[in-house]
Amino acid sequence: MEPVRPQPSAAAPVQSLPDDDVPTRRYYEEAIATPVKAEPVVGWLVCTKGEYFGQSFTLKSGRNFIGRGRDMDICLEGERSVSRDRHAVIVYEPKERMFLAQAGDARELFYVNDDVVLDHVVLKANDIISLGKVDLMIIPCCTKEFAWEDLEKKENGQS
């Protein structure tokens, strides 16, 4: 259903906001002055059990949706034990430089280190995320010790 927009009156000209039609900018588009072609990697999920054994999946800043649908950020296509859409969400929160796992929109449950996740859980390096018959280990790149904006600060002589 399309939202109802007020019709302009003849007396007052319509003024649009300058950035109203501009897409939302991702965190690293604002945090790094150096132009980048793609959102920098903040970590990986590595499959340690299941059909994708040994394969890695790139994590980006913000929300990373896991499911078997092709439009998911981490696509486990063909893995019928995983929900199609948003079985789970892995979040990289750049200001605190931390990873979180939270429940997606699916009915199915998922686990971190064999503990069910109903709300959200702070993730640590090498934690195991279990969805259906798949286990994924988190390998962080960005942490308290390093994040992409640190390189720029270092180049500019800031600490």
Side-chain angles (χ1 to χ4, degrees), residues 31-116:
I32 300 176
T34 306
V36 292
K37 290 184 178 185
E39 183 78 12
V41 63
V42 297
W44 300 269
L45 293 177
V46 177
C47 184
T48 59
K49 180 178 135 189
E51 185 177 334
Y52 290 88
F53 182 83
Q55 293 186 39
S56 65
F57 301 91
T58 303
L59 296 171
K60 63 186 182 316
S61 182
R63 294 172 161 215
N64 297 269
F65 298 105
I66 303 173
R68 70 174 198 267
R70 290 184 181 175
D71 59 338
M72 295 292 99
D73 300 302
I74 289 80
C75 174
L76 301 171
E77 187 175 11
E79 182 54 66
R80 297 187 54 88
S81 66
V82 173
S83 295
R84 184 174 290 112
D85 295 317
R86 299 180 182 192
H87 191 126
V89 184
I90 304 301
V91 178
Y92 175 71
E93 199 288 295
K95 291 184 179 182
E96 293 295 322
R97 298 184 181 185
M98 61 191 276
F99 289 88
L100 302 162
Q102 63 185 57
D105 297 333
R107 291 184 337 184
E108 288 73 18
L109 299 174
F110 82 102
Y111 303 82
V112 172
N113 300 327
D114 292 327
D115 293 325
V116 68

Side-chain angles (χ1 to χ4, degrees), residues 9-25:
S9 68
V14 175
Q15 291 182 332
S16 63
L17 298 174
D19 291 335
D20 198 29
D21 293 331
V22 177
T24 302
R25 294 181 66 134

Side-chain angles (χ1 to χ4, degrees), residues 136-155:
L136 302 166
M137 179 188 297
I138 185 160
I139 309 293
C141 175
C142 294
T143 61
K144 297 279 186 198
E145 292 77 30
F146 169 82
W148 296 107
E149 59 269 27
D150 295 343
L151 297 177
E152 205 157 279
K153 288 177 186 176
K154 187 176 179 181
E155 286 180 13

